[in-house]
Amino acid sequence: GAVVSQHPSRVICKSGTSVKIECRSLDFQATTMFWYRQFPKQSLMLMATSNEGSKATYEQGVEKDKFLINHASLTLSTLTVTSAHPEDSSFYICSARGGGWQPQHFGDGTRLSIL
Amino acid sequence: GQQLNQSPQSMFIQEGEDVSMNCTSSSIFNTWLWYKQDPGEGPVLLIALYKAGELTSNGRLTAQFGITRKDSFLNISASIPSDVGIYFCAGQGRVQGAQKLVFGQGTRLTINP
């Protein structure tokens, strides 16, 4: 079945550091990738949608200069949290979808902790 | 943002019991999906439903796409300890001009052995 790999699984770093998270679709070509944020005991909140080769579309309230998304190929998208601060600490999850009405498949998430 | 109404929010059951949860929406969706999320991991797709009225099974799991395209339910029969987790429904369709998933709030399932 469709496998999405997300790396790293956990990051602990100092305030002001920029952190890059990778999301790869391993056995299918992902025309669209999505980035979510999840707070404890809450549902997933969509941050942005990215299509290969084009700029990401950010949800209302998500700072595009803070959360840089690059989708350079059909199998790789990256999320960079720039100059991270403690309030950026969260669980970030990516998903990928092939064409048409295929469902989204999720990575295992990245736990980001900013000290 | 837009969310589906998922209920119940939590369930505490005995091992071997059947489980039922559902989602409703004020909007029509083209696809309904059910995911399970274990602590510290991403959601895993359980069942995908593509047609109104469709009833689909995956082992002990059964889900249906409501005929109005505004609701769906998930049943788990003869629950076992590994069924513990959070179950999310999700509607897939065009939201504000783009194809997105809208999630329910989740149902946290706890099983007493």
Side-chain angles (χ1 to χ4, degrees):
Chain A
V3 178
V4 176
S5 174
Q6 187 173 340
H7 178 81
S9 59
R10 180 160 189 132
V11 179
I12 303 173
C13 58
K14 294 181 179 179
S15 183
T17 306
S18 291
V19 178
K20 180 184 281 188
I21 303 169
E22 290 189 351
C23 182
R24 295 179 184 271
S25 57
L26 297 185
D27 53 357
F28 68 103
Q29 292 188 326
T31 56
T32 310
M33 286 186 167
F34 305 83
W35 288 94
Y36 294 84
R37 186 172 180 176
Q38 187 178 32
F39 292 103
K41 297 186 178 181
Q42 293 190 21
S43 188
L44 284 74
M45 182 182 73
L46 180 64
M47 298 174 65
T49 302
S50 73
N51 293 296
E52 184 263 339
S54 62
K55 289 184 179 180
T57 301
Y58 290 82
E59 295 298 300
Q60 191 173 7
V62 178
E63 298 176 60
K64 62 180 181 181
D65 295 329
K66 175 74 169 178
F67 300 99
L68 300 179
I69 293 172
N70 182 279
H71 191 164
S73 77
L74 284 172
T75 59
L76 174 64
S77 176
T78 60
L79 168 69
T80 301
V81 183
T82 62
S83 186
H85 293 286
E87 60 266 27
D88 298 322
S89 299
S90 190
F91 192 52
Y92 293 87
I93 312 174
C94 72
S95 73
R97 181 170 58 84
W101 293 106
Q102 294 184 41
Q104 291 182 31
H105 294 276
F106 288 83
D108 276 340
T110 298
R111 173 75 57 192
L112 177 61
S113 300
I114 308 298
L115 305 177
Chain B
Q2 186 180 0
Q3 271 197 329
L4 304 179
N5 294 315
Q6 184 173 348
S7 64
Q9 290 187 18
S10 60
M11 302 184 72
F12 298 84
I13 63 169
Q14 296 293 123
E15 183 178 350
E17 289 184 9
D18 296 342
V19 173
S20 183
M21 59 191 79
N22 69 83
C23 272
T24 60
S25 170
S26 57
S27 305
I28 290 174
F29 289 102
N30 296 313
T31 304
W32 279 88
L33 306 164
W34 285 92
Y35 291 89
K36 177 176 182 275
Q37 185 177 27
D38 290 329
E41 298 182 12
V44 174
L45 180 65
L46 300 175
I47 292 180
L49 302 158
Y50 298 101
K51 295 181 182 178
E54 178 182 357
L55 182 71
T56 297
S57 293
N58 178 8
R60 294 178 295 106
L61 278 61
T62 302
Q64 184 160 31
F65 191 154
I67 195 70
T68 64
R69 294 163 64 190
K70 292 182 178 181
D71 63 297
S72 177
F73 72 74
L74 173 70
N75 289 340
I76 305 172
S77 62
S79 59
I80 59 177
S82 61
D83 292 333
V84 166
I86 303 176
Y87 293 80
F88 289 101
C89 63
Q92 179 169 285
R94 286 218 170 267
V95 180
Q96 296 175 334
Q99 199 179 115
K100 301 177 183 177
L101 282 184
V102 178
F103 281 90
Q105 301 96 325
T107 296
R108 182 180 297 272
L109 179 62
T110 302
I111 299 176
N112 298 316

